[in-house]
Each structure stands twice: as structure tokens, then as C-alpha cells.
Amino acid sequence: MWAPGDAPGLVLGDGAQIGDGVLVGANVTIHEGTVVGPGCSLGDNAVVGRRPVLSARSTARRDDELEPLRIGAETRISAGAVLSAGTVIGRACVVGDLATVRERCAIGDGVVIGRGVCVENDTAIGAETKIQTNAYITAYCTLEDHVFIAPCVVTTNDNFMGRTERRHALIKGPTIRRGARVGGGAILCPGIEVGEEGFVGAGAVVTKDVPPRTIVVGNPARALREVPPDELLDAQ
Amino acid sequence: MWAPGDAPGLVLGDGAQIGDGVLVGANVTIHEGTVVGPGCSLGDNAVVGRRPVLSARSTARRDDELEPLRIGAETRISAGAVLSAGTVIGRACVVGDLATVRERCAIGDGVVIGRGVCVENDTAIGAETKIQTNAYITAYCTLEDHVFIAPCVVTTNDNFMGRTERRHALIKGPTIRRGARVGGGAILCPGIEVGEEGFVGAGAVVTKDVPPRTIVVGNPARALREVPPDELLDAQ
Amino acid sequence: MWAPGDAPGLVLGDGAQIGDGVLVGANVTIHEGTVVGPGCSLGDNAVVGRRPVLSARSTARRDDELEPLRIGAETRISAGAVLSAGTVIGRACVVGDLATVRERCAIGDGVVIGRGVCVENDTAIGAETKIQTNAYITAYCTLEDHVFIAPCVVTTNDNFMGRTERRHALIKGPTIRRGARVGGGAILCPGIEVGEEGFVGAGAVVTKDVPPRTIVVGNPARALREVPPDELLDAQ
């Protein structure tokens, strides 16, 4: 990687603020006004601070109210990742290869967003939460601190799948409480809550709330037993 | 974004036709002969009109019969998307970040192909159909108009998974009829049909045809009840 | 595509070795020391031989022991793929668009790694194995020869999902024996073995070992019947 002045193919938008010691890969695009904290790295082909695109002939107003993307110190953005304006990413995070984070997200410190993960708009992710490879975090989700999302987890936010007017008021992603863990390929239905330190088994289809410190499995998911005490956060 | 003449890193193939008012991001590659309709936009790192690659030493004939990619007016292609030659994309479509569409597909007007979606070869998608983030549309699929595919849906087309000679004649993706909806992470087995306005619940594994206007859930999927009248297309 | 000397936007690291007849797309990045065998092709935006990134201010030692990436003759790397240093890829392989392969993997000859697939670190994949679109191969997996992984398969390696100290010794991906086939969207739990020529149905959640030549389906997966003789490798 290179200092920004030496990086091949860097496209640097007006007013971007690049902190001390930032390293940049090949063919990186930093959009206008983006704030990249000190000690960050941006992998090859990363696109950061991208604004939503309107059709060239659209009469819609450009969403001028989106703040520039802000990336905290010592955060690593990997190859081919695409991060939107209007979002704040904390310190010492990792965003994996080919991951995307959309607008109006708040990502805490020390968060890991794995390779190929998509975090949709208007989502909040607490500190030290880990979202593993190819998991999908839908719009209007809340993930609290120390959550663990295994690879290829699916979250959803619309029981009506695009029909009825009343759905607009009801669209809501899952809420995943502090320390909860969701297993590989599990599917979370719209609006459900996974309680504190709850545990969803791999491949479970979660159609109702998961009580705190409870393990659920199956399709549809049902309670199996309590989370063992040595797996609770306080025991780590 | 920039007008093509000003776009940094643009690689523009011979004979490409770029309509009026097209906007282009950084490091875009437009392959030879590609037709980009007026008012389109191509996001950073987008690759459009790519032809299949043969090994440099291959004795196979290059597939010269693929027509160039054609993109209709006012369609938006997002960052890092990869679109193949031999396909036609309609007007006013949206192709999300890091999505791919392969050769010999016919994509209608107003279609949304979400972030990270893969549409494989020889697939037809009707007007106003929406395919959400990370869904997978296998080769030889048919999706009619006004279909809704939720995030991370999986479709398949080969019951033999690469074995037997007779499989070649039997490979067939699902057929999804007008107005049908398929829930998050659902899996559709080869060749099944989802009837008009059918509804597949999140996480269902669909092993046989879904009757029109019927809701199915579970693994394997079974009929649960009728789709409520206020969710049918005519009621919108 | 172009010969390396003519390729637009090529970033070629020190000491990279490019074989005869290699073809390169637009905006390709070849990292230092990478060995690209004769007759290979590298699609637009491909990133090959990338090394893990440490924070610019990190006091951790860079992993100098990773060997450069080696790509065998006649292998095709597609658009936007990201391949790490420390890995060896065989001859006549195909790596699809937007796929990633991480460090310390050994990929045999004739392997197909589909579009959007992620192969995590320390994984071995035998000759002629096919991994289809968007499948996820976790770290510390073994796939033997002639394995077939259908689209969107999920593998996992940590039953503790990030908790307890003892988990570190127990992390282990699945072992998939010669000629086994795993159906679309199936989920394999940590450490399970799919026996030789075993068959996992689409959408199955596999929580225990699959005996050789046995078909399993469901959540949790249960044995259904034997694989038909005409589908065994020797009958092809």
C-alpha cells in the first residue's frame, strides 16, 4: 500500500480529509468530503463515501442532507468494499473485502464487518460486534454490543414483501441484544428480538422473539435449553 | 460522477455507444460494442459488456455470436457490478453494487437487481420485478412480471448435481409466475413453479410446485393458507 | 483483454512473474512476487497476491512468512476477484467474478470456484472439485477431489461462536470426502464429515456425519436413502 500521494489510480474527491499515516491500495476512490481517520487503510478498489445516484434526468432533489462518510482511526477497509455517505464508522474496525455499508448507519468501535457482508441503511451496530462473511443485515436493524453474527445469516424487515400501504409503517428489522449470537445461515423474520446473550442455532428460522440466554434451533425455531454459563460474556 | 469524457480511469471499448447524459464513476470499464442508453449511470468500478474469457491457449472458438450488452435508458448500474455481453437490460432498472448478470439474459423495464445479486445465464426477468440483496437466480430461470424475491433467496437447477448424462436435458431453474413473492433465504428446488401471486415464507425449502395465491412455509414447504386479498396485485 | 504491457491501469508489483501468453483486463492489481502461470487470464479489477493489511500504527509484525500467491497455467481469474498471498492455485482452474480466496489455501488442478464464493484461510480443495456461486467455505476445511458444492452452501467451524478459551482448540470446518455433493443452501455444522459420494439435499442442516453414499435431507438432516448407482463417480 502507499501513502495517498503515491497511490496508483487514486481518485480523491474535493474536501476529503485524510488523516496521518493512512495507507491506500490501488485504484481507490474517496468521494468528496469523506473523513478518513489517522492510521486507516483502504484496500485496492475500495470506494468510500459514495453518494446515492439519481438518474441524470431525474427531477428528484439530490439528497444533499447526507453528511460525508466518517471513518474512525485505525480502521481497515479491505479490497473492493463500498461504503456510502451519511454513515459513521468507529475506531479500529475492520471492513472485509467486497463488503458494503449503506447510508445513515452508525457503526461502533472495534466492529468487524466480514467479507461480502451487506449492512443496509439506517442500521446501528454496537461496539465489538462481529458480523461474519456474507451475512446480510437488513435496513432498520439494531445490533447491540458484543453481538456475534455467523456467516451467511439472513435478516428481513418486511412481512408483506412489497404489498399493502400499511407495510410502510411496519417495516422493521430484527433487534439483537447485547452478547447475542446467531448461527450460520440462520434466518431472522422481520421485527423479532433476540434477547441478551440469546443463541440461535445454525440454520434456524426464527419467527418469534428469542428469550435472553436461551438456545433456539429448527424451522421454525423452538427453545432447546439455556446458554451454558461458561459461554456468557461475563465468563470470558 | 462525470461525463464520459471527464471520467477518471474510464476504459472505453471500440464501438461502444454512449447515450446522452450518461454519467460515469471512477475506473469504469465499458467493453466493445456495449450500448448504454441515454440518462444511464455507471458506478465506480462497474464492468459492462464483458465477454466470456477463454484460456489464451484454448483452441475453442470465441463466442462471437454474443451480441453486445444493451442497457436501456435511465438505468442505474452501481459500483463494482459486472454485466456480460449477450444480455439486454430494460429501461429504468437499478442494478445494485457488486451484482452480476451473465450472458443471454432478458431483463424487463423497471427491474431492480439488488446489491450482490447474481443472475446466471439464459434467464428472463419480467417488468417491475424486484430481486433483493444477495439473492441467487440460477441459469435457465423464468421470473415473470411483478415478482418479489427477498434477500438471500436460493434457486437451483440441477437435481443431479453434476452427475449422469441425462441431467443435461433436465437442467431447469424455477419458474416464478406473475406477482409471486419468495421470502428471505427460501430455497427453490430445480424446475419447481411458484404459481401466480404465490407466497413462499422465509426459510422455506420448496420441493414441489406452489399453487397460485397460496402461502407455503417450512422444510419441506407445505401449504399454510391463502394469500390475503389485500396483498394481491389488484388491491395495490 | 490485453498483454500485460498494454493493459490499462495495470499495477504490477515488484518481482511478480508473469508467464507467456497471460491476458489481463482493465485495472488489474498484481501484488509483489505473485507468480501467474502461462496462459492465465486476469479479469477486470482482479486483485491477486494481496497480503493481509495491518494498521499503519500497529506494532504487530507483518506476516513476512507468507509465500507469494502462485497461480497455475491456464487458470482464469474473473472480474473483481481477490486472491491472497500464501496460497497456491492449480492449473486450469476457474475463479469466478467477485470471488475471494484467502491465505494458506491449497487449490488443486481443474477446480472451479464460482462467482462470489469465499474460500477462507487454511483450506485444502482437491482436484476437479466445483464450488458454485456464492457458496461459503469456512477456514480449516478440507474438500477432497471431485466434490460438488451447490450454490449458496454454508459451512461453519465454531460451535462456540466466539466464546470460551477452549474453542480455539476445537475450531474445525467440515471435511467433505471424495465425490460428495452438497445441495443448494445446505448448512454444514462445524467439524462434520460428509462421507465419500455422500449427498446432502438442498436446504438440509447437517448436524452430524453423513455416511458414504447416503442421501440426507431436512432440518436437522436425516438419512433418506442410498445414492443411486448411476450417480456414482465410477458410472460417469
Side-chain angles (χ1 to χ4, degrees), chain B residues 9 11 27 29 31 45 47 50 53-57 80 82 98-100 116-118 120 134 136 154 156 159-164 166 187 189 205 219, chain C residues 1-2 21 26-27 38-39 41 44-45 74 76 97-98 115 133 146 148 151-152 179 181-185 197 199-200 202-203 218-219 230-231 233 236:
Chain B
V11 176
N27 298 319
T29 302
H31 284 269
N45 302 338
V47 173
R50 185 267 315 265
V53 178
L54 298 173
S55 162
R57 294 180 175 183
V82 180
L98 303 165
T100 62
V117 165
C118 176
E120 299 277 22
N134 289 3
Y136 174 62
V154 178
T156 60
N159 274 314
F160 298 89
M161 292 203 278
R163 301 282 169 82
T164 78
R166 62 193 160 105
I187 297 173
C189 287
V205 178
N219 178 0
Chain C
M1 303 186 94
W2 296 269
N27 297 319
S41 61
D44 303 325
N45 301 339
E74 309 288 342
R76 288 183 283 149
D97 297 329
L98 302 165
R115 180 270 179 207
T133 302
H146 293 283
F148 185 100
C152 309
R181 293 174 286 167
V182 182
E197 304 251 25
F199 183 110
V200 175
N219 177 1
D230 71 332
E231 295 188 21
L233 275 180
Q236 305 310 308

Side-chain angles (χ1 to χ4, degrees), chain C residues 80-125:
Chain C
V82 180
L83 309 181
S84 292
T87 275
V88 177
I89 295 178
R91 294 173 60 91
C93 295
V94 176
V95 177
D97 297 329
L98 302 165
T100 62
V101 181
R102 286 187 54 193
E103 58 274 19
R104 292 182 299 274
C105 293
I107 313 291
D109 294 342
V111 167
V112 175
I113 294 174
R115 180 270 179 207
V117 165
C118 176
V119 177
E120 299 277 23
N121 51 288
D122 297 280
T123 285
I125 299 180

Side-chain angles (χ1 to χ4, degrees), chain A residues 58-140:
Chain A
S58 170
T59 56
R61 197 170 58 84
R62 180 170 166 150
D63 187 351
D64 285 320
E65 283 150 41
L66 279 186
E67 296 285 325
L69 172 70
R70 301 181 71 93
I71 304 174
E74 309 289 342
T75 283
R76 289 183 283 148
I77 311 298
S78 304
V82 180
L83 309 181
S84 293
T87 275
V88 177
I89 296 178
R91 294 173 61 93
C93 296
V94 175
V95 177
D97 297 329
L98 302 165
T100 62
V101 181
R102 286 187 55 194
E103 58 272 21
R104 291 182 299 274
C105 293
I107 313 291
D109 294 341
V111 167
V112 176
I113 294 174
R115 179 270 178 207
V117 166
C118 175
V119 177
E120 300 278 21
N121 50 287
D122 298 281
T123 286
I125 299 180
E128 303 297 331
T129 282
K130 291 183 171 46
I131 303 172
Q132 294 203 320
T133 301
N134 289 2
Y136 174 62
I137 307 300
T138 189
Y140 310 103

Side-chain angles (χ1 to χ4, degrees), chain C residues 46-64:
Chain C
V47 173
V48 297
R50 185 264 319 262
R51 285 173 185 276
V53 178
L54 298 173
S55 162
R57 294 181 175 182
S58 171
T59 56
R61 196 169 59 83
R62 179 169 166 150
D63 187 349
D64 286 319

